[in-house]
Amino acid sequence: MARFFKFKSSKSTRLKRQSRSGNPAKAAKAREESRAAANRVSRVPAKIKEVGSPQWYAPTMATIMVIGLLWVVTTYLFKGEYPLPYFVKHHAGDWLLHGNLYIGFIIIMVGFLGLLRWK
């Protein structure tokens, strides 16, 4: 039944079979072919595509977070009147009184979410 099916073997399979052969001439030939194949490999380094984020990305996001922190600290030091005095003057009785804090925390969150995407 094996006569009806002829399987093609790959070159590496043939080399393995020849190197395991009891015939020293075949084993030497297989080793020589293997060395020749190794020498044909290109020695020119291939340029690897950069996969991560650009170099400016992480420092930019960290800077945005520091700006948000400074915004919140300024708001606390000046009791909400600075950096934007609008909220204290026009929203004295509602939830927008602390608008400067909201803006500061939003800036911090933008920087944090940007750092989550950093590779």
Side-chain angles (χ1 to χ4, degrees):
M1 187 143 126
R3 283 187 268 163
F4 298 113
F5 299 104
K6 187 172 183 179
F7 296 104
K8 290 185 177 181
S9 62
S10 67
K11 189 173 186 175
S12 63
T13 308
R14 276 185 267 139
L15 288 175
K16 285 179 187 174
R17 274 196 230 133
Q18 287 173 353
S19 65
R20 284 193 249 157
S21 166
N23 186 344
K26 283 186 179 179
K29 183 181 175 189
R31 279 193 302 271
E32 195 174 306
E33 285 181 11
S34 175
R35 286 187 195 133
N39 289 335
R40 283 192 300 267
V41 174
S42 173
R43 300 290 183 209
V44 177
K47 184 164 182 158
I48 298 172
K49 180 182 173 188
E50 290 187 28
V51 191
S53 301
Q55 292 182 348
W56 55 266
Y57 190 80
T60 303
M61 291 302 136
T63 303
I64 289 173
M65 290 177 66
V66 169
I67 289 171
L69 178 66
L70 291 174
W71 191 289
V72 171
V73 168
T74 304
T75 301
Y76 274 116
L77 289 177
F78 292 101
K79 298 179 181 164
E81 293 182 14
Y82 293 104
L84 295 176
Y86 168 79
F87 295 107
V88 174
K89 290 180 182 174
H90 298 289
H91 297 284
D94 59 7
W95 64 277
L96 274 177
L97 173 66
H98 304 291
N100 279 322
L101 286 178
Y102 303 147
I103 291 173
F105 284 117
I106 288 171
I107 293 171
I108 292 172
M109 288 305 298
V110 166
F112 179 73
L113 292 174
L115 283 178
L116 288 178
R117 297 188 50 88
W118 175 51
K119 295 177 186 174

